[in-house]
Amino acid sequence: MNIGVEITRLLSKLPWKLLFAFSTAIYWVLFRFIGYRRAVVFKNIQNSFPNKSEKEIKLISNKFFRFLADMMVETVKAISMNDKQWASAFKTTNIDLANSFYEKGQSTITVLGHYGNWEYLVSAYSRDAKHTILGVYKPLHNEGFEKLFATYRCKFGMVLVPLTKAYEVVGDYLERGEKVSIMLIGDQTPSADRGYWMDFLNQDTPVFRGAEKFAIQYNLPVIFASLDRVNRGEYSMSFKLLFEEPRNTKEGEITEAHVKALEQQILKKPHLWLWSHKRWKHKRPEDTPERFISKRYPGK
């Protein structure tokens, strides 16, 4: 028996009021007292907003840590939420845009970022979408927690696809003619020699090119999934069509578009992005090919 898994399962059955009390305790102990990744968060925000004062940066940092504590308990709660609770916690608007491609017999690419409670988004998308959602992700190292979190991630029919097997699995689905939406988180960090380099939040940043590769290879429309936090434990998702004919785009255009769409979202409510991630740990190699360096948004 995995004690950690069983405790998490029991915690998920607590009412929201108690869970948010735990969130407050997590905030004070882990973030204010212990200072979990406080220096990383402050530096990331400071570099992203060089024109903001130290007071403003501290305010965003503080709001981020309060949100992160809430997100921890929200994610735990999702393990045991029933359909009625999911309906209350997560709303989807303009789903017709995404579903219109299903009606046309087309598969799609859906890109999002580590913004708001993306765990809710990737789960609930399959509840409302007509496509089969293929969620490309990095499996957890702990097998017990991997199985536990899969209970809500796959609750509405999403298929989890390990990142290392993405091209093989996705290719099989598409070649069989199944109508799927490939869901990718576009702000993860690739190795320095494999990324597409562009300006993101005022910093030279490597970006995965996977969404663009899939889109062009199979000519799949590219959709950006935008998330907003309405209240504690409550979110709303909407969609924006970025490209309907990817094969008509220039190299890098799709990658730049979905990254900039995320950036615009972050600028509106910066505390909802995952600042504790070491997003800028790589520097651009001097021998990076010119084709993998943005001309529209040149790095610093």
Side-chain angles (χ1 to χ4, degrees):
M1 178 184 293
N2 188 319
I3 299 299
V5 168
E6 294 307 313
I7 291 174
T8 303
R9 197 189 304 276
L10 289 173
L11 287 173
S12 74
K13 297 178 181 179
L14 294 176
W16 280 115
K17 187 174 181 179
L18 280 179
L19 285 172
F20 284 130
F22 272 117
S23 172
T24 300
I26 291 170
Y27 165 73
W28 282 102
V29 174
L30 187 59
F31 302 132
R32 294 301 295 267
F33 181 68
I34 297 177
Y36 170 80
R37 291 203 173 183
R38 188 158 51 198
V40 171
V41 169
F42 189 89
K43 181 180 179 181
N44 282 344
I45 297 174
Q46 186 178 51
N47 290 341
S48 297
F49 301 101
N51 296 325
K52 290 189 181 296
S53 66
E54 183 174 337
K55 181 179 179 180
E56 290 175 307
I57 293 168
K58 285 182 178 179
L59 178 61
I60 296 172
S61 299
N62 188 54
K63 290 178 70 176
F64 163 71
F65 282 124
R66 285 188 178 276
F67 162 68
L68 187 59
D70 274 359
M71 183 181 166
M72 288 178 179
V73 300
E74 289 171 358
T75 303
V76 168
K77 182 64 177 175
I79 294 168
S80 63
M81 286 200 309
N82 57 36
D83 289 353
K84 184 177 179 180
Q85 289 171 318
W86 269 106
S88 176
F90 200 94
K91 311 292 184 183
T92 304
T93 61
N94 74 324
I95 188 66
D96 289 347
L97 187 152
N99 286 339
S100 66
F101 292 103
Y102 180 91
E103 302 297 343
K104 297 175 186 177
Q106 292 179 275
S107 292
T108 64
I109 298 278
T110 304
V111 189
L112 64 147
H114 288 100
Y115 183 88
N117 195 328
W118 65 88
E119 289 283 358
Y120 277 21
L121 188 158
V122 298
S123 302
Y125 188 22
S126 54
R127 177 195 65 186
D128 302 320
K130 293 183 178 181
H131 290 94
T132 296
I133 307 302
L134 304 182
V136 179
Y137 81 121
K138 291 182 180 180
L140 298 173
H141 295 298
N142 185 299
E143 185 177 347
F145 279 105
E146 171 69 15
K147 291 181 179 179
L148 179 64
F149 288 122
T151 60
Y152 75 81
R153 287 172 170 170
C154 302
K155 175 179 175 63
F156 300 107
M158 181 175 70
V159 178
L160 292 173
V161 180
L163 181 60
T164 55
K165 298 181 179 179
Y167 285 99
E168 175 187 348
V169 174
V170 170
D172 286 344
Y173 271 88
L174 293 173
E175 287 167 15
R176 291 200 303 267
E178 297 197 32
K179 289 178 282 189
V180 301
S181 186
I182 307 159
M183 179 167 273
L184 298 166
I185 295 182
D187 58 355
Q188 299 188 71
T189 307
S191 58
D193 60 340
R194 296 180 62 189
Y196 180 87
W197 290 82
M198 61 178 289
D199 184 83
F200 173 60
L201 292 172
N202 200 52
Q203 297 170 78
D204 197 20
T205 309
V207 183
F208 271 113
R209 293 177 286 123
E212 183 165 323
K213 286 182 177 179
F214 277 127
I216 292 175
Q217 182 176 351
Y218 297 100
N219 203 32
L220 303 178
V222 181
I223 297 170
F224 181 75
S226 180
L227 189 62
D228 188 30
R229 195 179 201 222
V230 180
N231 206 339
R232 297 180 94 179
E234 297 179 12
Y235 295 85
S236 176
M237 172 173 61
S238 61
F239 301 95
K240 178 182 179 181
L241 178 63
L242 297 182
F243 299 95
E244 190 164 2
E245 294 289 341
R247 286 178 180 166
N248 293 335
T249 63
K250 297 178 181 179
E251 186 167 33
E253 189 175 355
I254 293 173
T255 299
E256 292 166 9
H258 74 70
V259 172
K260 284 298 168 179
L262 173 62
E263 183 179 71
Q264 290 304 308
Q265 186 175 229
I266 294 169
L267 293 176
K268 292 178 182 177
K269 294 183 179 180
H271 65 284
L272 294 181
W273 192 57
L274 190 62
W275 295 102
S276 55
H277 176 50
K278 294 182 179 179
R279 185 65 182 86
W280 292 281
K281 59 187 177 182
H282 300 310
K283 298 297 181 183
R284 187 202 305 173
E286 293 184 1
D287 60 350
T288 301
E290 287 294 318
R291 60 193 289 250
F292 294 148
I293 302 174
S294 173
K295 302 300 187 299
R296 293 181 181 82
Y297 311 104
K300 304 298 179 184

